[in-house]
Structures are given as C-alpha cells and as structure tokens.
Amino acid sequence: MPKDAVTKQEDDVNSPTEEEEAMASSLLKEAHVRAALAADKGVAVRLTAWKVVDFSKKGDNYVSAVSSVEVTYELDGQSQEVSYIVKLNPCRNSESSKEYDTIFFHNESSFYLDIVTDMNSILSDIGFNELKVPKCFHVDLEKYKEIIFLEDLRVQGFKMADRRQGLDEAHVRLVLEELAKFHSASFLMQAKAPGEDLAFRYPFLQRCWPYILKNNSLALTLFKGNLKYCRELLLKVGGYERAIKWIDSVIPSLIDVIDEQTKRGRFKVVCHGDVWSNNTLFRYDEGGRPVEVMLLDHQLSNHSSPAFDLNFLLYTSTTGEVRQPNLDAFLSTYYDTLVKVLKQGDLEPPFTQAQLLQEFRDMSGAGAIFAMVFIPLVIVEPENALDINACTDDGVDEMLQDSQTKSLEAQVKDPLIRQRFLSMFDDMMEAGLFP
C-alpha cells in the first residue's frame, strides 16, 4: 500500500521497533474485537472470524504501534465484513517511554470518550455536523497494554497528503475550517458553564506538551536536540544571526517557554495541540481536489488560545510560498467559519479578526519551536532518519548528534529547506519575533 494511503495515527519522535510492534500486536484479543464490533454494529451482531493485518512500516508511527483488524460477522442473516484501525501500546523496552506511552493513551481515550461527545452534542443542537474525527469503538486502558479501536478511514477514501511538500492552499483551508468548528464547539461549551475552567472539567487537557516534556527526559532531549540542529543549520546557511540568538535564549528554558506559550492568550479554547500535516487525512474528488479532512491523534489536546493551533499548523505544514501570500486569507477562512458556527449558537465571537491576527503574531514563538522540532522530521531523507529505538535512554544524545551530523550537509543543499524551514524564520524576523 502506498504511503499516502496509510491511515497514520502519529508521526513524532519515537518509532517502535519491529520486535516491539510484534509484541504490541500480541495485546489484541478476541474480547477486544467483540467489544468493538458490538459497539459498531449492535449487540445482535455475531463475530465469525477476525485477523490482524499490519499495514504500516517502520518509521510510519512513532508514539503508538498501529495495525488493523479485518472482521467477518453475521447480522440479520447476512455475512458482512468490516475493518478497524487499532492503536496499541508499543511495549517499548525503554523505561523512560513507558509512562509517556500510557499518558498518551489515557489522553486520547479521554478525548474520544468525554470531550468529543460533549462537543458533538453542542454542534448537533445548533444544526451542525459532528467534528471530523475518527469514530472510536473500543478502549482498553490496562496499564502498558492499552488499546484503542477506531474506524478505518481508508475505506472511505481518506489519504495522507505529501508531508515533504507541505499542504497547499486547498488542503490548508479545509483544515482551518475544521479547526474553527472545533474551537467554536469549545466556546459554546464554555458559554454554557461561565466561570468554569474546562481544563479542570477535562483534566487530560493539562497533560499536554509541557507536562510531557517535564516527565519524559527522552522527549525533552529530542526537542532540545532538534533546536540545536536547527541552530547549526542556520549557521551553515548564514544570515540568520538574530534567529540563532533567539534559539540560544530558548533552549535552556524550553519547557518554561512552551508552558508560557500554551497558557498565554486572551481567548481559551480546547485546542487539538498537535495539528500538523501528519495528523490529517484527506478525501479527494475525481479531479484530485481535497473535499474533506479528518483530524487525527488527539493525545496532546490542551486548553489554550486558538492561535496555538493556527501557529502549529501553518508553520509546521506549509511552505513559505503557500503561507506568506495567503496568511491574511487563511485567517479570514478560519474566522469566517468560527463566526458562522458561533452565531448559529447565538454567541457573539469573542474577538475580532484583527485581534486574532495580533494573537497569532504574539504566539508565533510556539510556531517557531514546533516547526524546528517537526520540519527536520518531515524533510529528512529516510536513510538519515533517527532510529531512537536503537539506543539506550542514556545514549540518545550521542545517537541524535550522529544522525544530525550525517544529514546536515544534505539538508543545507535541499531546496525544501528554503521552502519549509528558512521561510519560517524569514516570516518571523519580518514580524519582529527575533529582536
């Protein structure tokens, strides 16, 4: 199966090995399949056969092991088939990753079982369709053996866009419209409980990026390592002294900087928190135009400004050629959809489009940091990709440096560096982020 047809659930920093994936697949039991099938098709369904069909390859999925289950069942006297995407605890040997993996599963299950249900109820009440996220059919949170069953979006024609090239204008607009609906549902939910802090109603929202980095030394090492790598790349290219000085100021206090970015802003919503090209799937018409988007991987949702998601998306997932001439239009697309949903719910928008632009600029530091973390992962050639599972917890520094040294010269010459990476620094220097 081609890569763009793979339903990915994560592409981050920590891919399970083949041995770990095999162990993860062994977690699947018939009881899980029966529970998912009953939730999907009803209690009258009768399971007749099932099998695990792996479709992802090494490097596709970093936080969890992802597989699929093909099921044959009988309902109303007819034999039928269905498939599910299954996310499994990767059963890593790395001690520092075990708690990190468990947190992710608990976060994502809380999203599907709690918050998305409440959001969809509010949207339904005002005549809007449900959020574009996969349906969840079964969750098992036994520690270190966690499993989540999701609908298989491949059968509906959903595919990944080319992550190396970035999202074009049509793809970005679809994501922005869905983010606006996502954020609007949060505003409407907050309006029904004025004064309540949604981060306390849904505690998993507090276990986002700062929490992960504080509690996982491996993740923090990788984040800082990628920022140092970007610094070296800028030194090689030349002309980015202001950006280099800013990176030097950020690295020693990276957790505090990210914590401040996630908490700042005057307008708080439930954010996706990890909205980049790898966490989106698209369905296309016969002419190859994207017509629908699905948002994946909700392990890092947080309670922050809408500008957090907007910065994350636009700086990790677009080239300068797409983003720079269209930034105002992109924010207009987002804002117009937000206003439409809120007014349908008899709620006035809490900010103007000019205030949204200002908040976007104010939170561009978050966009810069996450772009530095994710863009090298996007554009690195496979032979130079970091294989984090080949090292011990205390050997990650050495392995990270070795991998980045091998790819540094190649990336300086890669045309995607200008389109995906340097253009981001150009934008931010022009906007005054780097003094």
Side-chain angles (χ1 to χ4, degrees), residues 79 257 292 302:
S79 179
V257 172
E292 189 176 3
N302 59 48

Side-chain angles (χ1 to χ4, degrees), residues 394-410:
D394 57 3
V396 65
D397 279 314
E398 181 179 351
M399 187 167 205
L400 187 64
Q401 184 174 355
D402 181 62
S403 172
Q404 293 178 343
T405 299
K406 291 177 181 177
S407 63
L408 185 61
E409 290 296 334

Side-chain angles (χ1 to χ4, degrees), residues 83-144:
S83 62
Y84 301 104
I85 298 299
V86 187
K87 301 182 73 168
L88 307 109
N89 188 303
C91 301
R92 275 182 255 269
N93 294 319
S94 167
E95 288 298 323
S96 67
S97 295
K98 287 184 177 180
E99 293 300 323
Y100 172 77
D101 294 332
T102 291
I103 289 168
F104 272 177
F105 274 89
H106 279 258
N107 283 3
E108 186 154 30
S109 65
S110 294
F111 173 83
Y112 284 118
L113 299 180
D114 299 327
I115 201 165
V116 76
T117 302
D118 294 343
M119 286 181 160
N120 282 336
S121 176
I122 283 178
L123 290 171
S124 177
D125 287 345
I126 63 173
F128 276 85
N129 294 329
E130 294 183 347
L131 296 173
K132 299 291 186 180
V133 301
K135 294 178 182 177
C136 179
F137 295 115
H138 177 63
V139 169
D140 186 331
L141 294 179
E142 182 180 354
K143 193 166 186 178
Y144 305 140

Side-chain angles (χ1 to χ4, degrees), residues 15 37 121 180 188 195 209 211 226 266 298 342 364 371 408 427:
S15 176
L37 185 63
S121 176
L188 292 167
W209 286 110
Y211 182 91
N226 268 18
R266 293 170 288 173
H298 302 274
L342 291 181
S364 57
L408 185 61
D427 284 3

Side-chain angles (χ1 to χ4, degrees), residues 101-202:
D101 294 332
T102 291
I103 289 168
F104 272 177
F105 274 89
H106 279 258
N107 283 3
E108 186 154 30
S109 65
S110 294
F111 173 83
Y112 284 118
L113 299 180
D114 299 327
I115 201 165
V116 76
T117 302
D118 294 343
M119 286 181 160
N120 282 336
S121 176
I122 283 178
L123 290 171
S124 177
D125 287 345
I126 63 173
F128 276 85
N129 294 329
E130 294 183 347
L131 296 173
K132 299 291 186 180
V133 301
K135 294 178 182 177
C136 179
F137 295 115
H138 177 63
V139 169
D140 186 331
L141 294 179
E142 182 180 354
K143 193 166 186 178
Y144 305 140
K145 298 181 180 181
E146 293 87 355
I147 294 176
I148 298 177
F149 274 71
L150 301 169
E151 70 175 315
D152 188 347
L153 295 171
R154 296 173 300 172
V155 300
Q156 301 175 39
F158 283 93
K159 304 176 182 181
M160 287 180 63
D162 186 337
R163 66 179 184 178
R164 292 196 84 229
Q165 298 302 320
L167 301 179
D168 64 17
E169 184 179 348
H171 286 83
V172 172
R173 288 184 183 276
L174 279 175
V175 181
L176 289 172
E177 288 169 353
E178 189 58 28
L179 276 180
K181 194 169 83 170
F182 194 98
H183 295 161
S184 297
S186 175
F187 278 127
L188 292 167
M189 192 158 52
Q190 184 71 76
K192 288 191 173 185
E196 181 181 5
D197 189 336
L198 294 182
F200 285 95
R201 187 196 299 185
Y202 307 104

Side-chain angles (χ1 to χ4, degrees), residues 250-288:
V250 166
I251 290 175
S253 56
L254 180 60
I255 295 177
D256 291 336
V257 172
I258 293 178
D259 189 41
E260 187 270 338
Q261 287 287 316
T262 58
K263 290 178 178 177
R264 75 180 304 172
R266 293 170 288 173
F267 318 106
K268 296 294 181 70
V269 297
V270 176
C271 287
H272 181 286
D274 194 19
V275 58
W276 65 304
S277 56
N278 272 42
N279 290 340
T280 57
L281 293 176
F282 298 91
R283 186 173 61 81
Y284 298 84
D285 65 16
E286 293 181 356

Side-chain angles (χ1 to χ4, degrees), residues 1 9 142 157 193 198 239 245 290 302 314 317 342 397 410 413:
M1 180 176 294
Q9 299 303 113
E142 182 180 354
L198 294 182
K245 183 178 179 181
N302 59 48
L314 293 177
S317 305
L342 291 181
D397 279 314
K413 300 173 184 177

